[in-house]
């Protein structure tokens, strides 16, 4: 049985008088790619921020690797990697310098060959490694951030709208990379409103609407989740 | 390497690569260095000139030929004060008061301010001295270097990554704080060199190290303010605008409001008003040049009784010289009363202005710096008192020569003809009445005690910074 790495159990979040998450339940197993899909204001980012410990839930529990976000957030943060929608890192540093710096902040020492190997694994072209990051495209910055996550040996990755702003080739490349990471045992939790992208890469998709999980889709025997089925459910919710 | 060290190192790398901060650090350091060097050269030149003038004034006084002793009273003498060694950095009130006084009979030619209402104004802007640079411009440089320390991480999203990576926010802020402090200390280097130079030139090591420590506290405070504001704001532009506004309020407005409030709370009469009041009192004393003035009738009677004679011509002493002594004594009492009152008023104003150190660290360091350097109002007042004592002693010594070494008859007839004038002279050997004037700085203990409360103000600001940073850490976390 797959070990549950991320679990939301009756998770409720309220801002002022507005309920943003209403008894949200899901679990993500080890090596699984889980996409939380929803329109604007559905509560995707709030769910992500709750797991990152920047928003406290009103009730319910959020656990990562068996640790409660409310109680063990510092330990959780040591083990997870987070890629924001716009990965900036440091423009004045090169890709390698960025990785070295962030590793040093996490008190992790890696050799130069290890770093090079991680960069090769995420397919960041070698000519970019020693260029200032201010010259990187979004896709290149994402690859660098994933290389960092690899080097940190983070078993859980949280991704916020990872494919927004990427060209189709970059999206395919990114999806392949995520699939490889999952195959190697990493657990990936992403929030997105990109139906097609989510169906391509995720093992399961949770459809979030008005703070509630209103649908759960998973791969059956196919290589991908059925895009039309998800799209139809997503559109139906959007029109309500 | 610890996380704090890593953050500090990266901050320096950022400054180096972005050029702007590096340029500001270089400009700041060069400016304080040049200002320190120029001020030192000026001080050395002034010191040589002072020494030369002191010797020349003394020699000229002593070289005066045989003459009437009262002419020597009016010939007068200059005294000069050697500024403290640390005045190369902190000229303090010397820039306003000067360091020399002309001493003569019947007058206190103070080196006081042109307008007494300016007394507390001495805590305001001054010229581009090293202390002005350190107290006013270095905070601005620190703002320019550090206003985006944290906001740029927020704008770039790197702060989020760091937090979700589990970095200790205190470590992050401390790393940035140490980087900012090290850039500030770099601009403090000329001060440290000057302090070492002052120690070599005889200044107490306790004083010079306290002086440097005061400025280090000031840098710590400003770096803390800059970092805390940057940490609690989301945008570079907001952080910059708030910090520049704070700089204007703390470095310019509040010190000025402090001195203006002092003048309003403890008003002192204008120079003209004070002069009129002194003149009115002096008129009651009579004219010391005129022995027949009714004001000296009682003195005359007492002397005639004491020596059992009928007229002043029969006295064994020159009555005119006695009158000069008596008159100078009374006049000095009145002048001293007014001078003490004026000094008290100035001190009261300065004290009120210095309390603004609880509201702005700039006033705190300014008060601390002047008191520790020995260039404060208190030191200047002591100079005035010591110079006045010298003046009184030498004038009275000449009046005594007038009384004892010149006959009344020759004195009274001195304007009859050339021979009589010649007869009313005393030997030039009598001019050896000048005591050597050597103004010593206050002891280290006195200066430390005087400045203790202002050191406390700086420590209070440091405490406030710790609270501010704690607040910032909570906000970020």
């Amino acid at each position: 049985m797959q070990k549950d790495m991320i679990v939301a159990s009756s998770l409720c979040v309220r801002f002022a008088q507005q309920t943003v998450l209403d008894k949200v339940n899901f679990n993500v197993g080890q090596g699984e790619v889980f996409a939380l899909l929803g329109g604007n204001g559905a509560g995707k980012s709030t769910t992500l921020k709750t797991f990152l410990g920047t928003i406290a839930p009103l009730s319910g529990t959020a656990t990562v690797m068996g640790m409660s976000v409310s109680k063990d957030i510092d330990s959780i943060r040591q083990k997870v990697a987070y890629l924001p929608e716009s990965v900036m890192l440091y423009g004045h540093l090169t890709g390698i310098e960025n990785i070295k710096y962030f590793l040093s902040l996490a008190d992790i020492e890696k050799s130069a060959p290890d770093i090079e190997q991680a960069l090769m694994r995420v397919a960041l072209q070698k000519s970019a490694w020693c260029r200032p990051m201010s010259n990187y495209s979004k896709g290149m910055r994402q690859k660098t951030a994933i290389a960092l996550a690899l080097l940190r040996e983070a078993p859980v990755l949280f991704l916020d709208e990872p494919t927004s702003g990427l060209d189709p080739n970059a999206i395919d490349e990114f999806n392949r990379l995520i699939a490889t990471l999952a195959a190697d045992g990493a657990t990936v939790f992403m929030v997105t409103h990109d139906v097609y992208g989510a169906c391509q890469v995720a093992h399961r998709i949770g459809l979030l609407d008005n703070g509630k999980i209103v649908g759960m889709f998973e791969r059956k025997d196919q290589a991908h989740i059925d895009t039309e089925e998800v799209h139809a459910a997503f559109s139906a919710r959007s029109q309500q | 390497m610890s996380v704090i060290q890593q953050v500090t190192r990266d901050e320096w790398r950022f400054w180096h690569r972005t050029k702007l901060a590096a340029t500001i650090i270089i400009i700041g350091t060069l400016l304080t260095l040049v200002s320190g060097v120029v001020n030192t050269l000026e001080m050395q030149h002034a010191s040589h000139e002072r020494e030369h003038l002191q010797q020349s004034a003394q020699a000229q006084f002593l070289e005066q030929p045989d003459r009437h002793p009262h002419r020597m009273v009016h010939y007068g003498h200059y005294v000069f004060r050697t500024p403290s060694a640390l005045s190369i950095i902190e000229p303090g009130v010397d820039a306003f008061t000067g360091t020399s006084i002309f001493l003569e009979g019947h007058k206190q030619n103070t080196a006081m301010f042109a307008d007494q209402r300016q007394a507390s104004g001495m805590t305001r802007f001054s010229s581009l001295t090293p202390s002005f640079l350190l107290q006013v411009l270095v905070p601005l440089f620190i703002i320019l270097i550090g206003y985006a320390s944290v906001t740029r991480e927020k704008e770039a999203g790197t702060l989020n990554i760091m937090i979700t990576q589990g970095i200790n926010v205190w470590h992050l802020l401390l790393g940035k704080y140490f980087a900012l402090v090290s850039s500030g200390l770099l601009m403090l280097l000329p001060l440290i060199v000057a302090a070492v130079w002052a120690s070599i030139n005889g200044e107490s090591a306790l004083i010079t190290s306290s002086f440097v420590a005061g400025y280090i506290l000031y840098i710590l405070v400003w770096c803390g303010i800059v970092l805390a504001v940057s940490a609690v704001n989301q945008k570079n532009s907001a952080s910059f605008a708030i910090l520049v506004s704070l700089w204007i309020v703390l470095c310019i407005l509040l010190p000025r409001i402090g001195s203006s409030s002092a003048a309003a709370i403890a008003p002192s009469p204008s120079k003209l008003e004070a002069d009129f009041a002194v003149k009115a009192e002096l008129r009651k004393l009579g004219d010391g040049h005129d022995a027949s003035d009714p004001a000296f009738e009682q003195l005359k009677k007492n002397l005639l009784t004491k020596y059992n004679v009928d007229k002043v011509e029969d006295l064994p002493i020159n009555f005119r010289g006695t009158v000069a002594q008596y008159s100078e004594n009374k006049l000095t009492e009145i002048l001293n009363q007014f001078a003490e009152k004026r000094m008290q008023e100035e001190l009261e104003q300065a004290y009120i202005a210095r309390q603004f150190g609880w509201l702005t660290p700039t006033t705190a360091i300014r008060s601390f710096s002047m008191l520790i350097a020995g260039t404060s109002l208190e030191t200047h007042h002591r100079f005035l008192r010591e110079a006045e004592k010298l003046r009184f002693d030498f004038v009275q010594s000449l009046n005594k020569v007038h009384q004892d070494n010149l006959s009344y008859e020759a004195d009274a007839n001195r304007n009859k003809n050339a021979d009589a004038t010649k007869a009313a002279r005393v030997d030039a050997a009598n001019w050896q009445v000048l005591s050597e004037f050597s103004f010593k700085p206050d002891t280290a203990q006195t200066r430390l005690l005087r400045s203790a409360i202002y050191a406390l103000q700086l420590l209070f600001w440091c405490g406030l910074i710790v609270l501010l940073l704690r607040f910032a850490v909570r906000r970020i976390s």
Side-chain angles (χ1 to χ4, degrees):
Chain A
M1 189 182 164
Q2 261 188 342
K3 183 180 161 194
D4 281 340
M5 298 294 276
I6 302 170
V7 177
S9 177
S10 296
L11 201 57
C12 288
V13 172
R14 184 176 278 198
F15 294 147
Q17 295 304 312
Q18 195 189 351
T19 301
V20 184
L21 293 183
D22 189 6
K23 294 181 182 165
V24 170
N25 292 290
F26 62 81
N27 61 322
V28 186
Q30 189 177 11
E32 188 181 6
V33 179
F34 181 87
L36 196 59
L37 190 69
N40 292 333
K44 306 185 300 288
S45 294
T46 305
T47 311
L48 184 62
K49 285 176 182 171
T50 307
F51 277 101
L52 293 172
T54 53
I55 290 176
L58 179 69
S59 62
T61 53
T63 60
V64 178
M65 299 171 71
M67 293 179 283
S68 162
V69 169
S70 310
K71 292 174 189 163
D72 303 309
I73 189 61
D74 289 338
S75 306
I76 292 171
R77 284 174 174 169
Q78 304 286 335
K79 298 194 185 302
V80 304
Y82 163 62
L83 269 75
E85 181 178 353
S86 177
V87 181
M88 287 303 292
L89 300 181
Y90 287 104
H92 67 285
L93 301 182
T94 65
I96 289 183
E97 283 173 338
N98 261 296
I99 286 174
K100 281 184 180 170
Y101 179 57
F102 277 96
L103 285 176
S104 71
L105 294 184
D107 208 15
I108 296 169
E109 272 188 42
K110 289 286 175 185
S111 65
D114 285 344
I115 294 172
E116 287 171 10
Q117 198 182 358
L119 288 170
M120 282 193 283
R121 200 171 156 202
V122 298
L124 181 72
Q125 59 263 45
K126 206 168 179 180
S127 60
W129 293 2
C130 295
R131 282 212 317 258
M133 188 145 273
S134 51
N135 297 327
Y136 279 27
S137 67
K138 183 182 173 184
M140 290 160 78
R141 290 199 302 268
Q142 264 183 340
K143 286 176 180 175
T144 312
I146 292 171
L148 176 63
L150 289 175
L151 287 160
R152 285 184 59 216
E153 294 166 18
V156 178
L157 272 78
F158 286 101
L159 315 177
D160 187 4
E161 302 284 4
T163 52
S164 95
L166 292 183
D167 62 52
N169 286 338
I171 290 174
D172 287 343
E173 210 174 342
F174 176 78
N175 287 343
R176 279 199 297 273
L177 181 57
I178 294 299
T180 312
L181 291 178
D184 290 347
T187 304
V188 180
F189 176 91
M190 64 164 80
V191 298
T192 181
H193 55 247
D194 174 14
V195 178
Y196 176 78
C199 291
Q200 291 295 304
V201 72
H203 294 105
R204 280 192 302 147
I205 293 175
L207 183 59
L208 194 67
D209 185 48
N210 277 329
K212 289 182 180 172
I213 298 278
V214 293
M216 193 65 81
F217 307 90
E218 60 185 295
R219 289 182 194 175
K220 288 161 190 158
D221 296 327
Q222 332 85 302
H224 309 296
I225 295 173
D226 185 354
T227 310
E228 283 183 14
E229 186 189 354
V230 178
H231 196 271
F234 187 68
S235 299
R237 283 285 154 186
S238 303
Q239 284 164 10
Q240 276 178 8
Chain B
M1 205 184 284
S2 74
V3 170
I4 297 173
Q5 284 172 315
Q6 283 289 348
V7 175
T8 304
R9 205 179 73 118
D10 180 65
E11 203 68 0
W12 271 99
R13 188 164 50 179
F14 173 75
W15 293 337
H16 172 66
R17 292 193 183 170
T18 51
K19 304 281 189 294
L20 177 68
T23 309
I24 293 164
I25 292 170
I26 291 168
I27 289 174
T29 309
L30 278 180
L31 212 55
T32 44
L33 184 70
V34 168
S35 167
V37 169
V38 168
N39 223 35
T40 306
L41 291 175
E42 275 179 9
M43 295 284 295
Q44 277 183 337
H45 174 72
S47 169
H48 288 312
E49 198 173 53
R50 209 163 22 239
E51 202 172 321
H52 170 72
L53 286 170
Q54 178 80 69
Q55 284 170 358
S56 144
Q58 185 135 357
Q60 275 183 16
F61 187 91
L62 296 176
E63 281 165 9
Q64 290 305 304
D66 299 353
R67 54 172 48 172
H68 191 281
H70 201 72
R71 283 192 64 190
M72 289 305 286
V73 167
H74 284 285
Y75 183 83
H77 176 54
Y78 279 100
V79 286
F80 298 87
R81 169 160 72 93
T82 306
S84 79
L86 281 174
S87 63
I88 54 170
I89 292 289
E90 176 55 276
V93 299
D94 293 0
F96 297 83
T97 59
T99 52
S100 64
I101 301 183
F102 179 62
L103 307 177
E104 60 175 328
H106 330 317
K107 280 184 186 172
Q108 281 186 354
N109 293 320
T110 69
M112 304 289 278
F113 331 105
D115 183 348
Q116 286 181 59
R117 288 190 194 279
Q118 295 284 320
S120 55
M122 287 178 302
T123 52
R124 290 182 201 158
F125 266 143
S126 59
S127 55
L128 204 64
T129 58
S131 60
F132 174 79
L133 277 168
L134 293 167
Q135 293 163 9
V136 178
L137 292 189
V138 165
L140 187 62
F141 294 146
I142 293 174
I143 289 172
L144 293 175
I145 296 165
Y147 74 93
S149 291
V150 184
T151 47
R152 76 162 188 273
E153 304 270 9
K154 290 183 182 177
E155 286 193 354
T158 43
L159 185 67
N160 253 341
I161 295 176
M162 282 189 222
I163 289 172
T164 51
Q165 195 176 294
I167 189 174
N168 182 321
V169 178
W170 263 116
H171 289 173
L172 174 73
L173 287 195
L174 281 179
K176 286 182 179 286
Y177 184 62
F178 290 144
L180 207 51
V181 167
S182 57
S183 72
L185 290 183
L186 211 58
M187 290 185 260
L188 219 59
L189 257 184
L191 171 103
I192 295 166
V193 173
V196 171
W197 183 86
S199 289
I200 293 167
N201 281 276
E203 185 58 275
S204 146
L206 191 61
I207 285 293
T208 52
S209 48
S210 304
F211 188 69
V212 172
Y215 276 95
I216 289 176
L217 285 181
Y218 185 62
I219 296 292
L220 292 181
V221 168
W222 267 104
C223 291
I225 291 173
V226 171
L227 193 67
V229 170
S230 183
V232 297
N233 278 286
Q234 302 302 319
K235 299 267 176 204
N236 288 339
S237 54
S239 170
F240 184 72
I242 290 171
L243 282 168
V244 168
S245 307
L246 269 177
W247 177 78
I248 291 170
V249 170
L250 296 179
C251 287
I252 298 170
L253 288 182
L254 276 176
R256 193 178 173 90
I257 290 171
S259 43
S260 302
S261 305
I265 295 167
S268 57
S270 68
K271 187 171 189 309
L272 205 60
E273 285 170 309
D275 284 350
F276 273 129
V278 173
K279 285 258 159 55
E281 282 299 313
L282 292 182
R283 263 189 223 110
K284 295 175 191 167
L285 290 181
D287 181 2
H289 296 101
D290 180 8
S292 61
D293 192 305
F296 309 117
E297 196 55 39
Q298 189 59 45
L299 173 72
K300 186 172 138 186
K301 274 184 192 165
N302 292 346
L303 279 173
L304 293 176
T305 308
K306 181 184 172 186
Y307 289 102
N308 199 21
V309 291
D310 297 327
K311 50 185 196 297
V312 290
E313 288 83 351
D314 297 336
L315 285 169
I317 52 172
N318 181 347
F319 180 61
R320 286 172 57 85
T322 310
V323 165
Q325 266 189 312
Y326 175 83
S327 165
E328 190 68 34
N329 199 28
K330 291 283 177 194
L331 172 142
T332 302
E333 271 177 28
I334 288 174
L335 289 178
N336 281 347
Q337 275 174 19
F338 275 92
E340 285 299 328
K341 186 168 172 277
R342 185 174 49 196
M343 286 191 258
Q344 280 310 313
E345 286 164 357
E346 285 167 1
L347 276 182
E348 204 177 330
Q349 288 185 348
Y351 181 76
I352 292 169
R354 286 172 188 167
Q355 295 319 301
F356 274 68
W358 299 107
L359 300 177
T360 163
T362 307
T363 299
I365 186 64
R366 197 166 292 175
S367 310
F368 180 81
S369 175
M370 285 200 283
L371 285 162
I372 280 282
T375 54
S376 66
L377 198 56
E378 286 84 343
T379 308
H380 176 65
H381 284 168
R382 190 165 63 81
F383 168 61
L384 293 179
R385 289 191 184 101
E386 288 185 17
E388 170 53 24
K389 185 178 178 307
L390 180 81
R391 183 200 75 82
F392 183 72
D393 288 348
F394 108 83
V395 168
Q396 290 299 60
S397 300
L398 289 169
N399 284 336
K400 188 162 174 16
V401 169
H402 188 178
Q403 176 193 266
D404 297 343
N405 298 8
L406 181 65
S407 75
Y408 179 79
E409 191 185 356
D411 193 13
N413 296 327
R414 69 190 182 284
N415 293 328
K416 279 194 172 168
N417 52 46
D419 287 341
T421 304
K422 217 175 226 179
R425 289 176 180 170
V426 296
D427 192 275
N430 288 296
W431 308 155
Q432 308 281 345
V433 291
L434 292 176
S435 312
E436 194 169 325
F437 186 75
S438 163
F439 184 80
K440 296 255 185 323
D442 289 313
T443 63
Q445 196 189 5
T446 305
R447 283 188 268 170
L448 284 170
L449 277 175
R450 261 186 207 151
S451 59
I453 183 150
Y454 308 106
L456 205 65
Q457 287 180 344
L458 286 169
L459 289 172
F460 160 77
W461 277 96
C462 286
L464 211 61
I465 292 309
V466 172
L467 293 179
L468 260 175
L469 288 176
R470 279 184 64 175
F471 172 71
V473 167
R474 274 189 201 164
R475 278 285 293 266
I476 292 174
S477 301

